[in-house]
Amino acid sequence: MSIIYELLYLDIRTIVLIPRIERLINHLFVVLVFSLAFVGVAEVMYWLYKKEYLRAKAKYLRELIDQKNDLSSLNEPFYTCVYEKWNSGEMPLTEANTMCSLKFEQN
């Protein structure tokens, strides 16, 4: 009996260490499906957040232009500074906002 158990143990061990081609194909299929699902979800999330970011940026720019054109506002020079720096291509919108806020805080 012990010889039979040793042979069974040896056989199972070789199957685990060296899987057959069907098991390899199944594993590769599972890995491929998981990878495609992961990339698909990542792409959907990226485009949804990018769309939301662009909407928020457009809303901020509309408000910035409205406030820049409101000459009765006390903050009109700040918004004009931000708009001019961004519109000229001198710097991105966030940097222009930071630069102008530093400039007007010092004054």
Side-chain angles (χ1 to χ4, degrees):
M1 282 294 226
S2 66
I3 294 174
I4 294 173
Y5 284 119
E6 286 182 34
L7 289 175
L8 286 174
Y9 178 74
L10 182 64
D11 190 33
I12 291 171
R13 198 167 144 210
T14 57
I15 288 174
V16 171
L17 291 177
I18 306 169
R20 291 185 295 172
I21 190 73
E22 294 87 15
R23 289 184 74 188
L24 283 175
I25 290 173
N26 287 341
H27 288 337
L28 289 175
F29 179 72
V30 168
V31 167
L32 181 67
V33 168
F34 177 76
S35 299
L36 288 176
F38 181 78
V39 169
V41 169
E43 283 289 322
V44 167
M45 294 302 292
Y46 171 77
W47 288 109
L48 287 175
Y49 280 111
K50 184 175 182 179
K51 186 177 178 181
E52 192 65 31
Y53 167 75
L54 290 176
R55 280 187 186 157
K57 187 174 181 179
K59 181 180 176 185
Y60 177 75
L61 283 172
R62 282 192 297 273
E63 290 175 6
L64 178 72
I65 292 170
D66 288 344
Q67 292 175 353
K68 177 186 89 62
N69 292 333
D70 182 14
L71 299 177
S72 64
S73 172
L74 296 175
N75 293 329
E76 187 267 334
F78 167 74
Y79 293 114
T80 302
C81 172
V82 174
Y83 181 78
E84 288 174 356
K85 288 188 180 299
W86 172 77
N87 193 36
S88 67
E90 185 178 335
M91 55 186 64
L93 191 59
T94 53
E95 288 181 21
N97 193 356
T98 305
M99 185 68 70
C100 291
S101 65
L102 290 174
K103 177 181 173 184
F104 283 99
E105 282 178 5
Q106 290 174 356
N107 293 336

